[in-house]
Amino acid sequence: MPLSTNRIDVERNIMDTHKNRRQRKPIVTWDMKDEGSYSMDLESEEEALMQASDKEDGRPKVRHGIRTELSNVSLLLFLYVLQGIPLGLAGSIPLIMQSKSVSYKDQAYFSFVFWPFSLKLLWAPLVDSLYLQQFGRRKSWLVPTQYLLGLFMLYLSTTVDSLLEGDSHRGPNILTITAFFFMLEFLAATQDIAVDGWALTMLSRENVGYASTCNSVGQTAGYFLGNVLFLALESADFCNKYLRFEPKATGVVTLSDFLFFWGIVFLVSTTLVAILKKENCTQSKKKSGEETQGVMETYRLLFSIIKMPSVFTFCGLLLTAKVGFSAADAVTGLKLVEAGVPKEQLALLAVPMVPLQIVLPLIISKYTAGPRPLNIFYKAFPFRLLIGVGYAVLVWWTPSVRQDGGFPVYYYAVVLLSYAVHQVALYSMFVAIMAFNAKVSDPVIGGTYMTLLNTVSNLGGNWPSTVALWLVDPLTSKECQGAVGQSCGSPEEAGLCSREGGVCVTLLDGYFVESVIQALTVEPLQRSLHRRKG
């Protein structure tokens, strides 16, 4: 398991690297073969760093309380909310497609939509290095990117409904939908690079840890608006039951309506940011000259970071740590919809979780603000694996409690409790990683440094999810009962079985196969963590 790596050494080495960069040591010293040659121990270096950070150009540095930066925190929070809207919309599409009985292979295709957040490292150095100095280093990318997001949403609003409906023979146009939403997420990922980098200079150094809180809270709120709120308002059943006196065949809004509304919001809010918000200019001309690095220099700097043994090991941990619960995260919700749980009801279960999702980062950030934020990550890891096993039990139990009128209240209470426990483990890991990445990121190459660590973390979650979705169908065994000579190995064969009067019966569900493999990793992991603790 990747967590058997000596996490203390990894974390210490990365923190040491960051401190050396903060003290403006030459880049060539980053690639020293013997990283253990530092003369001071960790506590001595932290003390020296704090003393150095209290001075700027030989003068005492003014400390800023969080109250003096509430406007900057509010702006960051709003920008991350906007970032969460496309993510939430993209997250709602698989549930819509699942209600149209698409295959898990098609779901795997669509999961590539989320990969731009894992690949943005490829163009992050461009965002860090190319900009208009008069307009602002981060605004040079933030403003045009958000304008493009708004315009693209307006265009997508004219075509997306017809793409999802498809025709009577093929169903939804999966490839075209995937291409459109991939472009939407690509723009959102570029906006994320600019906002992550801007957060490191918009906030003072002692308050930069709040950037991770803005990220987690803002993205959660945006995701809620683009996912839960949209699915509720799009559902005819929900609107007829709770919002209307006379039932209608459609919801209050369609996906086209929702995209059009947020396209306008993006255009208006971006114009206000472009006009009213100025970037901080607190650095001297000498330091500004140091910031302005060329594209090739930034890429070389990026490669020098990646080649460091401690960073390379940490990236390896992030790339493999989420394999154990990929099936639980990527497939469980789709399996519940397949078992008959209404997608809007499933989405609405997230509503009671909103206060928890907002409060959790605030609570967890108190424990990640110290010198060892990754401790929370390692402690939450085995619990999240066990929660995945519980999800598999929940999916297995769901068909047996289904009634003619739907599902009983106690079933939704169990789902809600399971989701709440999952959120505690998920946010513990997420906030810990974000806090650690913010601590080791240097404002000089802030967008690139943070993007390296954050995108590796995202990639470590996305590639296992895509693989998990892709393997569900191949690992599933079905037979056609009631029609001689027919099989159910593909959607076409299943359709033929149905037309011949047969029924496809699942003998072995690939989701449970994946969950069993996941469960087998829990016990070795606990032994490994116990040895490290000892």
Side-chain angles (χ1 to χ4, degrees):
M1 289 299 294
L3 291 182
S4 62
T5 306
N6 192 329
R7 60 185 177 88
I8 298 178
D9 291 341
V10 171
E11 193 170 348
R12 178 179 300 222
N13 287 338
I14 296 176
M15 294 292 285
D16 289 346
T17 299
H18 168 59
K19 292 166 188 172
N20 289 332
R21 180 61 186 159
R22 287 284 307 280
Q23 294 169 1
R24 299 297 187 264
K25 290 189 177 182
I27 295 177
V28 293
T29 62
W30 287 27
D31 201 26
M32 296 175 64
K33 295 182 179 179
D34 185 10
E35 282 191 303
S37 62
Y38 300 120
S39 58
M40 293 188 299
D41 61 17
L42 183 62
E43 293 182 0
S44 299
E45 286 196 60
E46 288 175 349
E47 184 178 356
L49 176 61
M50 290 301 295
Q51 293 174 354
S53 63
D54 286 339
K55 294 184 179 181
E56 187 172 318
D57 296 334
R59 296 186 299 272
K61 184 177 179 180
V62 178
R63 290 188 174 273
H64 303 276
I66 187 59
R67 294 184 179 180
T68 63
E69 297 190 276
L70 285 179
S71 61
N72 289 334
V73 171
S74 299
L75 176 59
L76 279 177
L77 185 63
F78 176 72
L79 293 176
Y80 281 120
V81 169
L82 291 183
Q83 185 184 125
I85 298 297
L87 289 171
L89 285 171
S92 67
I93 300 301
L95 296 177
I96 295 176
M97 294 194 304
Q98 191 69 12
S99 64
K100 300 178 183 297
S101 301
V102 302
S103 67
Y104 283 96
K105 184 177 180 181
D106 289 335
Q107 295 283 9
Y109 278 129
F110 187 81
S111 69
F112 283 105
V113 162
F114 301 99
W115 280 55
F117 274 82
S118 302
L119 302 175
K120 60 185 178 178
L121 183 62
L122 299 177
W123 64 92
L126 299 177
V127 179
D128 258 327
S129 305
L130 303 179
Y131 58 94
L132 298 175
Q133 186 173 0
Q134 296 81 0
F135 190 55
R137 184 181 184 186
R138 307 303 176 184
K139 286 173 61 179
S140 295
W141 286 90
L142 178 72
V143 171
T145 298
Q146 291 196 167
Y147 272 133
L148 288 174
L149 273 166
L151 294 174
F152 196 80
M153 284 183 172
L154 293 180
Y155 172 75
L156 193 57
S157 68
T158 64
T159 62
V160 68
D161 283 341
S162 61
L163 291 174
L164 282 173
E165 289 299 325
D167 54 51
S168 58
H169 300 290
R170 295 188 306 170
N173 192 332
I174 301 298
L175 293 181
T176 304
I177 293 172
T178 300
F180 276 132
F181 275 90
F182 184 90
M183 187 60 189
L184 194 67
E185 298 306 298
F186 171 80
L187 293 172
T190 304
Q191 187 254 25
D192 182 48
I193 299 171
V195 176
D196 282 347
W198 199 1
L200 298 176
T201 54
M202 186 184 296
L203 301 179
S204 60
R205 197 63 193 175
E206 57 266 27
N207 291 327
V208 74
Y210 287 97
S212 64
T213 303
C214 292
N215 185 307
S216 57
V217 175
Q219 278 194 3
T220 297
Y223 193 92
F224 172 83
L225 294 174
N227 186 279
V228 178
L229 181 63
F230 162 68
L231 288 175
L233 297 180
E234 185 264 350
S235 170
D237 292 338
F238 175 84
C239 294
N240 292 336
K241 186 175 182 180
Y242 297 105
L243 302 179
R244 289 176 177 149
F245 295 104
E246 296 183 2
K248 295 183 179 180
T250 60
V252 173
V253 299
T254 64
L255 182 55
S256 294
D257 298 332
F258 206 77
L259 283 166
F260 181 83
F261 171 79
W262 283 106
I264 297 298
V265 171
F266 266 86
L267 294 179
V268 173
S269 61
T270 302
T271 301
L272 294 176
V273 171
I275 296 174
L276 301 179
K277 179 60 180 177
K278 305 296 181 183
E279 289 197 41
N280 293 335
C281 299
T282 58
Q283 294 163 317
S284 64
K285 293 182 179 180
K286 180 178 179 181
K287 292 185 178 180
S288 295
E290 185 181 14
E291 281 192 5
T292 309
Q293 304 186 47
V295 176
M296 295 308 299
E297 288 79 2
T298 305
Y299 274 108
R300 282 196 292 266
L301 186 58
L302 172 62
F303 290 137
S304 69
I305 298 172
I306 296 175
K307 289 190 299 183
M308 294 186 57
S310 58
V311 176
F312 187 81
T313 302
F314 182 61
C315 289
L317 182 148
L318 294 178
L319 284 173
T320 57
K322 298 179 183 179
V323 172
F325 34 81
S326 57
D329 291 352
V331 188
T332 299
L334 302 179
K335 279 294 178 182
L336 292 178
V337 173
E338 182 182 329
V341 181
K343 63 182 185 302
E344 65 275 6
Q345 294 293 340
L346 195 61
L348 284 173
L349 290 178
V351 175
M353 294 294 100
V354 172
L356 180 65
Q357 292 171 336
I358 294 176
V359 172
L360 272 177
L362 300 176
I363 297 175
I364 298 170
S365 62
K366 296 180 181 180
Y367 300 95
T368 59
R372 301 291 185 196
L374 286 184
N375 283 345
I376 301 298
F377 177 92
Y378 292 106
K379 291 178 181 179
F381 191 93
F383 293 101
R384 191 169 173 187
L385 283 174
L386 292 173
I387 291 168
V389 178
Y391 271 5
V393 175
L394 176 65
V395 171
W396 171 81
W397 178 59
T398 296
S400 64
V401 297
R402 185 177 182 179
Q403 302 173 353
D404 293 337
F407 290 86
V409 175
Y410 70 83
Y411 170 79
Y412 289 112
V414 173
V415 175
L416 185 64
L417 178 61
S418 302
Y419 185 49
V421 176
H422 178 264
Q423 291 299 293
V424 173
L426 186 150
Y427 273 86
S428 296
M429 297 177 66
F430 175 73
V431 175
I433 288 294
M434 292 299 299
F436 179 77
N437 293 350
K439 281 180 178 294
V440 300
S441 295
D442 190 334
V444 173
I445 54 165
T448 300
Y449 210 136
M450 280 196 72
T451 300
L452 167 63
L453 301 176
N454 291 344
T455 54
V456 168
S457 179
N458 286 332
L459 182 60
N462 283 336
W463 79 260
S465 295
T466 299
V467 172
L469 287 167
W470 196 284
L471 291 177
V472 170
D473 285 336
L475 293 175
T476 298
S477 176
K478 295 182 179 180
E479 70 174 7
C480 180
Q481 296 181 356
V484 180
Q486 302 300 325
S487 62
C488 300
S490 67
E492 293 77 14
E493 293 176 346
L496 183 58
C497 172
S498 178
R499 287 193 295 271
E500 293 292 329
V503 177
C504 285
V505 177
T506 300
L507 302 178
L508 179 64
D509 196 321
Y511 169 71
F512 296 116
V513 176
E514 295 181 7
S515 298
V516 168
I517 296 174
Q518 167 186 312
L520 294 177
T521 66
V522 175
E523 198 271 335
L525 173 66
Q526 289 179 325
R527 289 203 310 265
S528 175
L529 291 177
H530 181 74
R531 287 197 301 268
R532 291 302 173 188
K533 183 177 180 181

